[in-house]
């Protein structure tokens, strides 16, 4: 009842609570009995997605043509970090195994860009893939990113630990 517009997503937290995100720019943390524990209202646009990172914090994002941001929240609903200097329209955000996050931009417009950031918001590297419609990114067991589109699977070469991240892939597999 507290959201005033469409609900875009719902997750169950590791503490057994529910977290809902909405087009009304809010997230609401609910107890398992339906009581609103926290209303998180720092976003400036429709909340497109949210997930819990393994330390009990939450990452949510909003994105439109002229406004994109990511917010890191603690488990009480207080915002910890706001990532405002986002390079484009966010398609999705996911956590990598080393506590960094992957942000994928504009993946449906003839290519895409993606960026790796630490949880304090600092950029660790940006990449561009000019192939058509990158559909999915995964992290393999060695910690490298793999991108997949309709025709090509690419294994990207990057190093996370405060070193230069080259904008290149080192293996490409086609049909």
């Amino acid at each position: 009842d507290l959201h005033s517009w469409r609900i875009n997503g719902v997750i169950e937290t590791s503490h057994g609570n529910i977290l809902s995100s909405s087009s009304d720019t809010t997230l609401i943390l609910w107890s398992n009995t339906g009581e609103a524990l926290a209303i998180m209202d720092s976003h400036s646009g429709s909340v497109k997605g949210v997930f819990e990172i393994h330390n009990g914090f939450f990452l949510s994002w909003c994105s439109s043509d002229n406004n994109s941001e990511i917010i890191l929240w603690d488990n009480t609903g207080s915002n910890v970090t706001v990532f405002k200097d986002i390079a484009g329209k966010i398609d999705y955000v996911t956590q990598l195994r080393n506590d960094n996050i992957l942000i994928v931009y504009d993946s449906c417009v003839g290519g895409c860009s993606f960026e790796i950031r630490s949880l304090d918001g600092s950029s660790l590297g940006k990449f561009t893939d000019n192939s058509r419609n990158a559909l999915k990114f995964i992290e393999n067991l060695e910690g490298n990113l793999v991108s997949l589109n309709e025709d090509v699977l690419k294994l990207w070469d990057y190093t996370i630990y405060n070193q230069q991240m080259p904008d290149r892939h080192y293996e490409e597999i086609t049909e």
Side-chain angles (χ1 to χ4, degrees), residues 145-147 152-157 168-174:
L145 288 178
V146 178
S147 65
V152 179
L153 178 100
K154 291 182 180 179
L155 183 62
W156 294 85
D157 180 14
R168 65 181 184 85
H169 61 279
Y170 63 85
E171 187 172 346
E172 185 171 314
I173 303 167
T174 60

Side-chain angles (χ1 to χ4, degrees), residues 63-68 88-89 106:
S63 186
S64 63
D65 290 334
N66 50 3
N67 179 45
S68 295
K89 186 174 180 182
D106 302 320

Side-chain angles (χ1 to χ4, degrees), residues 89-109:
K89 186 174 180 182
I90 299 171
D91 287 329
Y92 64 91
V93 179
T94 191
Q95 183 179 12
L96 301 175
R97 282 193 303 273
N98 58 10
D99 285 340
N100 295 318
I101 61 169
L102 172 70
I103 306 166
V104 179
Y105 307 102
D106 302 320
S107 68
C108 56
V109 200

Side-chain angles (χ1 to χ4, degrees), residues 13-173:
T13 73
S14 60
H15 299 304
N17 297 319
I18 303 296
L19 183 60
S20 57
S21 60
S22 172
S23 293
D24 68 5
T25 75
T26 66
L27 296 103
I28 300 178
L29 185 62
W30 306 87
S31 71
N32 58 7
T33 61
E35 174 190 358
L37 302 173
I39 297 174
M40 303 142 87
D41 61 358
S42 297
H43 275 295
S44 58
S46 174
V47 182
K48 300 296 185 186
V50 62
F51 63 90
E52 184 175 10
I53 56 180
H54 65 78
N55 64 6
F57 285 41
F58 306 99
L59 251 158
S60 61
W61 64 94
C62 72
S63 186
S64 63
D65 290 334
N66 50 3
N67 179 45
S68 295
E69 65 193 12
I70 298 170
I71 298 179
L72 176 66
W73 308 87
D74 70 16
N75 58 8
T76 68
S78 297
N79 90 41
V80 176
T81 305
V82 179
F83 305 38
K84 285 247 184 219
D85 56 336
I86 304 297
K89 186 174 180 182
I90 299 171
D91 287 329
Y92 64 91
V93 179
T94 191
Q95 183 179 12
L96 301 175
R97 282 193 303 273
N98 58 10
D99 285 340
N100 295 318
I101 61 169
L102 172 70
I103 306 166
V104 179
Y105 307 102
D106 302 320
S107 68
C108 56
V109 200
C112 75
S113 299
F114 55 102
E115 180 177 10
I116 298 173
R117 293 224 182 169
S118 65
L119 289 179
D120 69 3
S122 57
S123 179
L124 300 173
K126 295 179 182 179
F127 299 84
T128 302
D129 184 349
N130 293 322
S131 59
R132 304 188 319 273
N133 303 329
L135 300 177
K136 185 69 177 167
F137 287 84
I138 61 168
E139 185 179 21
N140 70 11
L141 295 176
E142 289 80 36
N144 294 310
L145 288 178
V146 178
S147 65
L148 172 66
N149 67 26
E150 297 166 351
D151 305 306
V152 179
L153 178 100
K154 291 182 180 179
L155 183 62
W156 294 85
D157 180 14
Y158 74 93
T159 307
I160 293 298
Y161 305 101
N162 297 322
Q163 297 177 15
Q164 181 66 25
M165 295 173 54
D167 185 6
R168 65 181 184 85
H169 61 279
Y170 63 85
E171 187 172 346
E172 185 171 314
I173 303 167

